[in-house]
Amino acid sequence: MTLPLHFPLLSLLVALPLVGAPLCLLARDERLARTIALLTAALALLAALVALGAFDAALSDFQLLHRLPWIPGLGVDWFVGVDGLSILFLPATTLLFLAALVVSGRALSPAPGVYYACVLLLEGATLGIFCALDTLLFFFFWELTLLPLYCLVGMWGLAGSGPRAATRYFLLMLGGGVPLLLAFLVLASHAGMSFDLPSLLAAPPGRDIQILVFLLFLVGFGVKVPLVPLHTWLPSLALGGPAAVTALVVGMKLGVYGLLRFAIPLAPVAAQDMHWLLAGLGTLGILYGAVATTAQSNLRGVVAYGSISHVGLALLGLASFSAAGLQATVLLLLGLTLATGGSFLLLAGLQRRIGTTDLTALSGVRQRMPRLAGFFLLFGLAGMGMPGTIGFPAEFLIVVTTLQEHSGAALAALFGMIVGAGAFLGPYRSAFFGPLRPGAVAESDDLTPREFAVALVFAVLLIGAGLFPGVLLDVLRVSAEAWANRLSLTTG
């Protein structure tokens, strides 16, 4: 697809939700606010698909560039663009946000306009994270995600636990932003106070500075990944926040994206010197997440701790520093956006029907909600890497590449994946099979048409990408090879 020269498509994409947010606040009633939010999210998805169509996967350079002066006194620009490593996250992000709005309930008191405005603000900030090519612009969007999430979790979370989860999340992420900002400032000071990502990539600092920068990035992004032991916000958010909002947080793996976009390319020597640290943290996450999942008594906790195990696997893929490992990591992240995000959206529907997702209150759900049970099983199996879903080629490639560099970590990962599979299937059987529990479970209805449509789209994409992974891998290949070559040339 050919666009007019210098058409600011990515700026338009980021701006759409940011413009829609205040319109939702000004809406007179909930129905109008919901209509504005849905229309805005649908237009954002369309713009993301147009960007994907206009992207040339045969080029490794950043594309669809748009640059404007933003803070001239500091040399900071509004500078956006994408390459093969970020372009696929745009339609994935916009699809997930649109799905969350479609399945959200209509009784969003006390302030439905605020709810929809916060969701759109969060979407715009997330898209900005994937598009920003100026490090301070990236940091601006990174911090911008905190305000809407604090409001969404604090106002619409479960009574009592919601505000506590919001406060914990906000403070931990605010603290994690300090080392990120410090790392960007250190890099800029060694590049003539340039915050331009392409310029920083072209002139990496010395080894000692890289070690400092890499450790700062590892802590700052590690809070969002989340790395163990920086993960404490995730269980409280998953259990106390709205399930649909949790789908947006857990579904988008922004922390891992930050590592592959900034931490490793901007400090390549330090990253490869500390490959053991990346591999060790990944292995710890896989094993901890799998074992912790076995102790959960709530389906939200099962999915949340399972995601910790999954991002540990993504870290192993990055630690290989190979093009194949990076392709597999991005493929895994895209699959988790659909599988984990879809699981939480289904749990949001289960919460509305029954009032809880605790295992002690669930039994025989499949008898009343066979569609919900079937899709939840599919999404869980996709997260486990079942053949025929996107998880299989992603996890297979990660294990193969890891065996070549960190054979012990790869074997530990296989063990953790087996434990994680059992940790999911046990609670699933307890909640969805067995005798039908009287009361709310027995009186509940299955998925509504709009919920079924969302789940079906997610299922088709998970299976389609699993059967034909080459389509996505081809988009990633050239940029992944350039990423790996840059590392080898820098350290060679």
Side-chain angles (χ1 to χ4, degrees):
M1 181 181 298
T2 303
L3 292 173
L5 190 62
H6 305 307
F7 182 76
L9 178 59
L10 296 183
S11 295
L12 176 64
L13 172 62
V14 175
L16 273 171
L18 299 180
V19 172
L23 295 179
C24 290
L25 287 176
L26 296 175
R28 294 170 296 178
D29 53 42
E30 179 176 355
R31 183 174 182 178
L32 179 58
R34 179 181 173 84
T35 301
I36 293 172
L38 287 172
L39 180 60
T40 302
L43 289 175
L45 175 58
L46 178 61
L49 293 175
V50 172
L52 179 59
F55 181 80
D56 186 354
L59 302 177
S60 62
D61 296 333
F62 291 108
Q63 302 176 43
L64 305 179
L65 300 175
H66 184 226
R67 188 169 198 157
L68 293 171
W70 184 34
I71 312 177
L74 296 178
V76 180
D77 294 335
W78 172 278
F79 186 24
V80 292
V82 289
D83 63 357
L85 303 182
S86 55
I87 183 64
L88 292 174
F89 287 107
L90 302 185
T93 299
T94 51
L95 176 63
L96 181 60
F97 274 85
L98 178 59
L101 289 170
V102 168
V103 303
S104 62
R106 294 182 180 274
L108 295 170
S109 58
V114 174
Y115 177 89
Y116 292 118
C118 286
V119 171
L120 291 181
L121 181 59
L122 179 60
E123 181 180 13
T126 304
L127 291 169
I129 287 173
F130 289 124
C131 294
L133 295 183
D134 184 287
T135 54
L136 284 193
L137 179 63
F138 170 87
F139 183 76
F140 169 77
F141 284 124
W142 185 269
E143 295 293 286
L144 186 60
T145 61
L146 298 185
L147 179 61
L149 276 173
Y150 179 79
C151 295
L152 289 168
V153 177
M155 295 178 64
W156 285 276
L158 300 182
S161 57
R164 288 196 300 270
T167 301
R168 172 178 290 187
Y169 178 84
F170 185 87
L171 292 178
L172 284 174
M173 294 302 158
L174 194 64
V178 174
L180 286 184
L181 180 58
L182 182 57
F184 288 139
L185 291 175
V186 170
L187 287 169
S189 67
H190 285 78
M193 292 310 294
S194 172
F195 297 96
D196 183 287
L197 178 59
S199 299
L200 295 176
L201 290 172
R207 182 184 297 270
D208 292 340
I209 298 299
Q210 285 193 34
I211 291 175
L212 171 63
V213 167
F214 182 76
L215 291 176
L216 289 171
F217 276 139
L218 194 60
V219 174
F221 289 126
V223 177
K224 181 82 86 171
V225 168
L227 297 177
V228 178
L230 304 175
H231 69 288
T232 55
W233 62 268
L234 181 56
S236 61
L237 181 71
L239 295 174
V245 174
T246 307
L248 303 176
V249 179
V250 181
M252 302 310 305
K253 307 299 182 184
L254 298 180
V256 181
Y257 175 79
L259 291 175
L260 70 88
R261 170 58 74 211
F262 295 97
I264 296 175
L266 291 176
V269 176
Q272 296 189 73
D273 283 349
M274 290 185 278
H275 65 92
W276 55 270
L277 181 57
L278 270 181
L281 289 171
T283 304
L284 176 62
I286 293 170
L287 296 177
Y288 175 83
V291 172
T293 303
T294 63
Q296 300 308 303
S297 59
N298 192 296
L299 286 177
R300 291 198 199 187
V302 170
V303 178
Y305 276 100
S307 72
I308 294 177
S309 188
H310 296 146
V311 295
L313 193 62
L315 285 183
L316 280 187
L318 291 181
S320 70
F321 301 116
S322 65
L326 181 60
Q327 285 176 281
T329 298
V330 175
L331 195 64
L332 179 66
L333 298 181
L334 294 170
L336 294 178
T337 297
L338 298 173
T340 306
S343 295
F344 271 108
L345 292 180
L346 290 175
L347 291 179
L350 190 64
Q351 177 84 36
R352 285 195 299 271
R353 289 164 170 79
I354 301 177
T356 182
T357 54
D358 197 277
L359 292 172
T360 58
L362 301 175
S363 180
V365 174
R366 181 188 62 84
Q367 298 182 43
R368 291 294 303 170
M369 290 173 267
R371 291 180 174 178
L372 190 151
F375 281 121
F376 190 77
L377 177 61
L378 174 62
F379 296 162
L381 293 176
M384 291 159 41
M386 183 184 72
T389 67
I390 191 174
F392 178 74
E395 295 186 7
F396 177 78
L397 283 174
I398 288 177
V399 171
V400 169
T401 55
T402 304
L403 278 171
Q404 300 173 9
E405 301 292 336
H406 310 95
S407 55
L411 294 175
L414 288 172
F415 174 76
M417 291 160 63
I418 294 172
V419 174
F424 169 79
L425 293 175
Y428 179 84
R429 183 180 64 244
S430 173
F432 290 92
F433 288 85
L436 181 64
R437 183 178 292 274
V441 176
E443 297 170 1
S444 297
D445 296 323
D446 206 353
L447 297 177
T448 63
R450 68 173 186 272
E451 291 172 330
F452 177 78
V454 167
L456 182 61
V457 170
F458 278 34
V460 169
L461 291 175
L462 284 169
I463 295 174
L467 296 177
F468 305 99
V471 176
L472 299 181
L473 293 175
D474 286 342
V475 176
L476 299 167
R477 179 170 293 109
V478 174
S479 292
E481 290 174 351
W483 184 90
N485 291 336
R486 185 182 297 115
L487 295 182
S488 62
L489 290 174
T490 305
T491 57

